[in-house]
Amino acid sequence: MIPRSRATGRAIGYQVFYRLPLPVRRRLVRMAVPKYIVGAVTLVRDSEAEGAGRLLLLRQPPGRGWTLPAGLLQRGENPAVGAARELYEESGIRLSPARLVPAVPNAIVHAKGWVDVVFTAEVPASTTELKVDGAEVFEAAWHPLDDLPRLSWATARLLAYYGIGPLVGQFPPPLPDTAE
């Protein structure tokens, strides 16, 4: 229970805050609230693959580990639009944002101040041409889920949230069961 004097102080603080002009309130909130960098990630599976399936991975500079199609959102950009844009820029796969399905969980909040909004998609690998620019992305390829190449640390951690890759069961901790 909050002591009465502290509760009264908070109430007065909120009354003062909400009387300030909106631009001043926004500036105060931006100064006081932690900032996050927001990115969009797409897990693209081969719709024709049998068994465990295949996942599209990218080899990017410096080329030590494979990653997922991903990138930062532009200011005010819809996450599905940003994910579709990054997917096309990095792999040559053009999908409408409506074809991207929010993953569960849809957003991963990382301790270092960034958030990944994650989507899934399926395309037929046999008829999907992969195009890379050779600068931002060296190579794009389909990899069996049960035999993934060396992944970047960030990619391995993110995939673990979805039960994929070498860190499954190690990281992250299981999500709490919210159904009661």
Side-chain angles (χ1 to χ4, degrees):
M1 185 163 166
I2 299 174
R4 184 167 176 78
S5 62
R6 189 167 150 200
T8 304
R10 280 185 67 202
I12 292 169
Y14 276 113
Q15 289 174 10
V16 169
F17 177 78
Y18 284 111
R19 287 191 176 118
L20 295 171
L22 183 59
V24 173
R25 290 194 324 246
R26 283 186 181 148
R27 183 173 295 270
L28 288 172
V29 168
R30 285 188 180 124
M31 289 177 7
V33 174
K35 311 297 185 284
Y36 287 94
I37 297 169
V38 181
V41 181
T42 307
L43 304 175
V44 183
R45 293 178 185 254
D46 175 3
S47 63
E48 303 168 322
E50 295 179 12
R54 296 193 313 166
L55 185 68
L56 177 68
L57 294 172
L58 310 175
R59 197 169 56 81
Q60 297 178 283
R64 295 189 190 112
W66 290 78
T67 63
L68 295 162
L72 297 178
L73 295 180
Q74 297 170 357
R75 185 176 298 273
E77 185 176 35
N78 176 293
V81 171
R85 175 182 51 78
E86 287 292 339
L87 179 61
Y88 177 69
E89 289 175 4
E90 294 183 348
S91 71
I93 297 174
R94 186 182 302 269
L95 295 177
S96 75
R99 287 203 43 206
L100 301 180
V101 177
V104 177
N106 183 228
I108 306 296
V109 180
H110 302 280
K112 298 290 184 180
W114 82 90
V115 176
D116 283 322
V117 183
V118 185
F119 296 90
T120 64
E122 289 192 5
V123 298
S126 66
T127 58
T128 301
E129 183 179 356
L130 301 176
K131 296 179 189 174
V132 298
D133 64 8
E136 181 183 3
V137 177
F138 294 148
E139 183 179 2
W142 298 98
H143 294 275
L145 288 172
D146 56 3
D147 188 26
L148 293 173
R150 180 178 177 205
L151 302 171
S152 73
W153 175 247
T155 297
R157 284 179 50 174
L158 188 132
L159 286 174
Y161 279 94
Y162 304 98
I164 300 169
L167 298 182
V168 170
Q170 298 173 34
F171 183 90
L175 295 172
D177 183 12
T178 56
E180 292 187 23

